């Protein structure tokens, strides 16, 4: 029977050596990060996902942020080539996992893409041009997705790590955004809801089928969402956030292929 699958990856003890771009390094309590990650997985299960957790892999500090390593569409899984060299050793295990569910296409050198820069909204696939994702990678993604009828749309990102730090999807028509980090005209086909100005990191929300999963760190934006009629399940991921990860980063969520 078809249903939602969420592939996750355990928190590595080496997360303390994670890549950092915008945040200062703070001590990370690995056990606390693991407990939060388990809560995240439980929330995904409650929202209807079958969670499949991969082991962290030895000495892969950022492997919990599995979103960056693959982008799973209904027709194909694109295995990314992360912009941070330290993260390329994460590829093999994730490629093997997604290949059980979809045909796989790989982004090849010199192309780079982090999955966190890819926002698929219907047949539009927005891709942030960032320090992690280059034009060669975007062209390879376009070529991989063209036969499936997707339109790849490169977009500007400034002030944050990934496109999905700045904007994610709430429903088919609506995106949650920090407009300071994107060019709103590039998303003119959608309605935008703004994060509260006191919560610039609040634009990352996970869509799980008809439901939403959101971080407790952004109560003002949650209020705004509730005022617009959206309900969200909330969890605390404060320890994981010290590694510059947000909620979408910790899973690959997709429909299981029908058998
Ligand atoms: C990194 O810099 O690659 C990790 N420390 C954080 C990655 C977060 N991923 C995401 O936003 N998609």
């Amino acid at each position: 029977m078809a249903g939602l699958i969420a592939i996750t990856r355990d928190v590595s003890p080496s997360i303390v050596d994670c890549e950092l771009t915008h945040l200062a390094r703070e001590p990370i309590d690995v056990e606390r990060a693991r407990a939060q990650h388990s809560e995240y997985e439980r929330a995904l299960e409650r929202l209807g996902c079958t969670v499949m957790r991969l082991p962290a892999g030895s000495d892969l500090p950022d492997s919990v942020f599995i979103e960056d390593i693959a982008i799973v569409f209904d027709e194909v899984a694109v295995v990314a080539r992360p912009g941070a060299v330290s993260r390329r050793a994460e590829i093999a295990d994730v490629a093997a996992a997604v290949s059980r569910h979809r045909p796989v296409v790989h982004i090849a050198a010199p192309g780079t893409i982090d999955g966190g820069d890819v926002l698929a909204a219907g047949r539009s696939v927005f891709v942030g041009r960032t320090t992690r994702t280059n034009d060669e990678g975007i062209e390879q993604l376009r070529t991989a997705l063209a036969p499936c009828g997707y339109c790849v749309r490169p977009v500007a990102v400034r002030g944050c790590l990934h496109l999905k730090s700045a904007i994610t999807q709430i429903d088919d028509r609506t995106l949650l955004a920090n407009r300071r980090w994107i060019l709103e005209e590039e998303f003119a086909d959608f309605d935008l809801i703004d994060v509260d100005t006191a919560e610039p990191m609040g634009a990352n929300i996970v869509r799980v089928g008809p439901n939403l999963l959101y971080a407790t760190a952004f109560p003002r934006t949650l209020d705004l969402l509730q005022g617009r009629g959206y309900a969200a399940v909330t969890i605390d991921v404060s320890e994981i956030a010290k590694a510059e990860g947000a909620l979408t980063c910790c899973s690959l969520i997709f429909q299981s292929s029908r058998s």
Side-chain angles (χ1 to χ4, degrees):
M1 201 184 81
L4 284 176
I5 293 179
I7 305 183
T8 63
R9 200 159 187 186
D10 205 359
V11 176
S12 168
S14 62
I15 192 172
V16 294
D17 298 318
C18 66
E19 294 280 340
L20 286 176
T21 307
H22 293 280
L23 295 185
R25 196 168 294 281
E26 286 184 69
I28 297 177
D29 179 332
V30 176
E31 283 320 306
R32 187 156 183 263
R34 284 203 165 130
Q36 291 179 350
H37 186 250
S38 296
E39 281 303 314
Y40 174 82
E41 292 174 327
R42 272 196 280 275
L44 290 177
E45 280 171 352
R46 281 197 299 273
L47 294 175
C49 295
T50 300
V51 174
M52 299 177 174
R53 183 198 287 183
L54 306 183
S58 58
D59 205 22
L60 298 177
D62 284 302
S63 56
V64 65
F65 303 122
I66 191 170
E67 166 184 69
D68 292 322
I69 311 301
I71 311 110
V72 184
F73 297 87
D74 287 346
E75 304 84 352
V76 67
V78 178
V79 173
R81 182 168 177 271
V85 175
S86 71
R87 299 202 57 189
R88 294 191 188 146
E90 297 174 35
I91 294 172
D93 291 341
V94 177
V98 295
S99 72
R100 289 184 205 108
H101 304 277
R102 298 287 191 274
V104 165
V105 174
H106 284 262
I107 301 297
T112 62
I113 287 194
D114 275 16
D117 280 322
V118 182
L119 172 63
R123 292 278 137 183
S124 292
V125 180
F126 297 99
V127 189
R129 301 171 73 225
T130 67
T131 55
R132 301 290 180 88
T133 295
N134 65 18
D135 288 343
E136 171 64 27
I138 296 173
E139 278 316 303
Q140 290 183 32
L141 183 66
R142 191 194 303 281
T143 302
L145 294 180
C148 311
Y150 291 96
C151 176
V152 168
R153 298 160 70 171
V155 293
V157 180
R158 62 196 159 199
C160 60
L161 179 59
H162 286 128
L163 176 64
K164 279 190 276 191
S165 321
I167 188 162
T168 54
Q169 192 174 26
I170 308 177
D171 64 26
D172 288 350
R173 291 249 14 95
T174 315
L175 305 174
L176 178 63
N178 177 341
R179 283 182 214 234
R180 293 182 188 166
W181 291 346
I182 51 145
L183 295 177
E184 59 190 278
E185 57 270 28
E186 295 187 314
F187 301 91
D189 298 344
F190 291 83
D191 298 326
L192 296 191
I193 295 182
D194 295 297
V195 296
D196 187 281
T197 50
E199 297 173 348
M201 301 291 291
N204 188 275
I205 194 162
V206 187
R207 202 176 171 202
V208 190
N211 301 301
L212 296 169
L213 180 62
Y214 196 47
T216 51
F218 311 114
R220 293 168 180 237
T221 306
L222 181 64
D223 274 355
L224 290 172
L225 289 170
Q226 286 170 340
R228 299 281 294 259
Y230 295 99
V233 171
T234 56
I235 51 167
D236 176 13
V237 285
S238 50
E239 207 60 32
I240 294 169
K242 293 179 185 172
E244 232 168 323
L247 277 187
T248 60
C249 321
C250 296
S251 57
L252 294 171
I253 299 174
F254 53 89
Q255 283 287 339
S256 69
S257 33
R258 290 164 208 279
S259 48

